[in-house]
Amino acid sequence: MPLRVNLPKSASVATLTQDGKLFSSSAARNVQAIVSLVRQRAPMRGNALELASGTGQHIVELARATPGLNWQPTEIDSHRRESINAHVAHTGLSNIALAMELDATAPGWSTKNNEQDFILLANLLHLISETETKTLIREASLALAPGGQLIIYGPFKRNNNLTSEGDLTFHASLQATDSEIGYKNNEDVFVWGKEKGLTSSIQIDMPANNLAICWRKPH
């Protein structure tokens, strides 16, 4: 996807600290919930890929909480890759690599990033189009090893409805800047995963009215 610069200010707010790390208050608020989810769902060992790692706040906590997984952060934005690497440099963890440039919505990225035991994506689907979402899910399915798991976390419509005033306002602001983006319907996302060969799909309610949609790739 082209790097979108016309998003509303509320979509991706991060401040730069003196040590080169970006800090997002929204990432700080949801990191513990995401880490807890991953600790419950992810395999004990293997290769783990985070798509669209953002500031890097999540990936360092995920790597710390799951020492048996080898984490690869990815990000399309060069400034955010620099931030991720700054976060990683301060951890001393050996199970997390430097950030890799990757557009999760581009066809073909799975060919160089396959045999993943676990893939995580947080807070991106509402910022991309339906076509890009389908491409992302297809590539993630191809990148998974047999038995691997994919989790997509973020805000969703439920049964085509927005269920809070905050979601209504945010979705409207997204569509006002780009009519192709906005909240995806949870039932549609389940179908798109099934169409790409993913099974064992479940939905988990998360704090702040978010959802985690989870799949497994058959053996």
Side-chain angles (χ1 to χ4, degrees):
M1 79 180 174
L3 189 59
R4 287 189 169 89
V5 296
N6 62 335
L7 296 173
K9 292 182 179 180
S10 57
S12 184
V13 179
T15 56
L16 183 64
T17 64
Q18 290 184 342
D19 53 6
K21 295 183 286 188
L22 289 168
F23 176 83
S24 164
S25 57
S26 62
R29 285 195 299 270
N30 61 34
V31 64
Q32 290 307 317
I34 292 174
V35 168
S36 178
L37 171 72
V38 170
R39 290 183 70 178
Q40 294 174 34
R41 303 287 308 177
M44 293 292 292
R45 299 187 179 278
N47 296 320
L49 182 71
E50 186 185 30
L51 301 174
S53 296
T55 63
Q57 290 165 257
H58 287 171
I59 193 74
V60 295
E61 297 303 326
L62 289 164
R64 186 175 287 117
T66 56
L69 289 175
N70 296 311
W71 284 93
Q72 175 63 67
T74 69
E75 177 58 47
I76 187 176
D77 186 326
S78 61
H79 297 295
R80 296 198 170 219
R81 290 198 301 275
E82 292 173 2
S83 174
I84 295 164
N85 291 339
H87 279 281
V88 171
H90 284 78
T91 66
L93 295 169
S94 61
N95 66 325
I96 178 172
L98 295 177
M100 177 176 66
E101 182 177 2
L102 188 147
D103 178 356
T105 69
W109 63 258
S110 60
T111 59
K112 295 183 179 180
N113 300 278
N114 54 11
E115 296 303 311
Q116 301 294 326
D117 300 291
F118 185 75
I119 298 177
L120 174 68
L121 173 72
N123 295 318
L124 182 66
L125 290 200
H126 57 294
L127 304 179
I128 63 178
S129 69
E130 179 178 317
T131 298
E132 290 167 331
T133 298
K134 291 178 179 179
T135 299
L136 185 153
I137 293 174
R138 181 191 70 222
E139 292 298 317
S141 175
L142 292 171
L144 285 172
Q149 297 179 67
L150 168 65
I151 293 181
I152 295 180
Y153 164 96
F156 290 89
K157 293 179 182 178
R158 274 85 157 170
N159 302 320
N160 261 327
N161 295 309
L162 293 167
T163 57
S164 76
E165 286 299 321
D167 285 341
L168 284 164
T169 300
F170 189 31
H171 175 70
S173 71
L174 291 170
Q175 295 227 298
T177 57
D178 186 338
S179 61
E180 291 188 348
I181 67 174
Y183 284 30
K184 306 301 180 287
N185 183 42
N186 62 335
E187 293 180 334
D188 292 338
V189 175
F190 275 119
V191 169
W192 299 336
K194 184 178 180 180
E195 288 174 347
K196 304 310 175 187
L198 299 172
T199 61
S200 303
S201 53
I202 64 167
Q203 175 177 293
I204 300 173
D205 290 322
M206 300 292 290
N209 211 35
N210 290 306
L211 295 177
I213 296 179
C214 312
W215 292 277
R216 186 180 296 274
K217 184 172 183 176
H219 285 279

